[in-house]
Amino acid sequence: MNDVNPDLDLDLRGLLCPMPMVKVSQNISNVPVGGVIRAVATDAGSMADIPAWAKSTGNEVLKAEKEGDEFVFLVKRVK
Amino acid sequence: MSPGPDVDTTLEQVAAVAAEPSDKPKKLSMVVFSGDMDRLFGAFIIATGAAAMGMEVTMFFTFWGLVALRNGTSTGRTLFGKMLNAMTPKMIEKAHPSKFAFFGMGRWMFNKMMHACGVTPLKELRDLAIQLNVKMYGCGMSMDVMEIPQSAFVEGVQDPVGVGFFLSEAQESQITLFI
């Protein structure tokens, strides 16, 4: 999964609820359909929020993992 | 028994109806009655989160909640209106927490603590909500009673509405909240 080449990198470190999810949502239209955003957050709530956002908006989370103190996401724009 | 053409038509109709709701965005309607800083945080975090999730969001501000829309101008036609204006916050940044208010000390302390954590300030959350197309309405009746005209609101607030409008929005909503 780590070999995916993201179309956009988002640094969400230091942002708290609801900002990580809002930023992903604001930026999803900046990648083409099928494109991937790589987002790094420090807010623990984003581990639940970003997958829930993807479920609601019909996008796909390819990866949501804790790496040290950070949470790393790969989000694919489906439509 | 093989399904006839009319069965096919019926199935197509059912499929069309089933597909319909998913095309329509989900809706959240909120009454914001409180003007407390902490409750307003809750209201705007939920509103911006829902808008980010692709939901249509309606916020109906009434009574103390109107402070969330105010732009800092002074209001009041009558003596009571002017008194109310003098004794209540004129903008969202000045809203007091529901507990621990201490004549502004609580707000100052909470703002310090939240800033240290990197929480988005209340005013920025409100402005973000407007930017995310959250529809905000003042309650016409409480605006009249409290002598707060539309001109005392920030840009992006819709024209005043009444309870009928809110109920018709709420009826179409999957989520309704009273804050």
Side-chain angles (χ1 to χ4, degrees):
Chain A
M1 213 55 100
N2 284 316
D3 51 359
V4 175
N5 228 352
D7 298 75
L8 182 68
D9 266 297
L10 277 186
D11 182 2
L12 309 174
R13 294 179 184 92
L15 294 177
L16 290 179
C17 176
M19 296 315 289
M21 180 175 80
V22 169
K23 292 280 182 202
V24 170
S25 131
Q26 283 182 318
N27 280 285
I28 196 76
S29 53
N30 294 337
V31 299
V33 173
V36 172
I37 291 181
R38 181 177 182 275
V40 182
T42 47
D43 175 30
S46 60
M47 274 301 267
D49 282 4
I50 289 175
W53 166 84
K55 195 179 152 212
S56 266
T57 54
N59 292 294
E60 194 182 341
V61 174
L62 304 176
K63 167 181 162 171
E65 272 168 27
K66 190 167 195 279
E67 292 181 6
D69 292 339
E70 299 179 337
F71 303 93
V72 181
F73 302 90
L74 287 174
V75 182
K76 184 178 166 189
R77 180 176 174 190
V78 175
K79 53 182 186 179
Chain B
M1 199 180 112
S2 71
D6 51 340
V7 176
D8 284 348
T9 327
T10 315
L11 281 177
E12 272 167 31
Q13 281 165 354
V14 171
V17 172
E20 202 177 30
S22 64
D23 292 340
K24 250 175 120 182
K26 298 239 165 32
K27 206 159 173 173
L28 162 69
S29 295
M30 231 188 270
V31 175
V32 183
F33 179 87
S34 173
D36 293 335
M37 167 191 159
D38 36 16
R39 291 198 170 90
L40 289 175
F41 258 107
F44 284 110
I45 287 174
I46 295 169
T48 50
M53 290 176 93
M55 298 181 76
E56 276 178 16
V57 185
T58 298
M59 299 177 91
F60 180 73
F61 293 85
T62 184
F63 232 82
W64 305 116
L66 291 174
V67 64
L69 306 177
R70 292 188 61 176
N71 59 14
T73 52
S74 285
T75 56
R77 285 173 290 107
T78 65
L79 176 66
F80 289 151
K82 288 188 173 104
M83 260 170 61
L84 192 63
N85 170 69
M87 295 169 77
T88 54
K90 288 181 248 315
M91 50 169 94
I92 196 165
E93 298 95 310
K94 299 284 183 199
H96 293 292
S98 61
K99 295 199 165 54
F100 226 71
F102 300 136
F103 306 101
M105 274 282 288
R107 183 183 64 234
W108 178 81
M109 189 195 80
F110 278 122
N111 279 339
K112 282 261 179 216
M113 290 171 80
M114 290 201 250
H115 182 74
C117 285
V119 175
T120 310
L122 198 43
K123 180 185 180 295
E124 279 175 39
L125 273 179
R126 194 258 334 262
D127 294 344
L128 177 66
I130 294 175
Q131 204 188 318
L132 293 175
N133 217 15
V134 169
K135 296 280 186 292
M136 303 188 193
Y137 301 88
C139 155
M141 190 208 72
S142 45
M143 287 166 70
D144 280 350
V145 171
M146 299 176 91
E147 302 177 9
I148 300 171
Q150 183 77 16
S151 59
F153 291 159
V154 294
E155 240 174 87
V157 177
Q158 316 288 319
D159 285 337
V161 296
V163 70
F165 178 85
F166 175 74
L167 289 174
S168 78
E169 292 286 292
Q171 216 160 26
E172 297 171 358
S173 300
Q174 288 76 23
I175 306 174
T176 51
L177 299 170
F178 186 97
I179 294 178

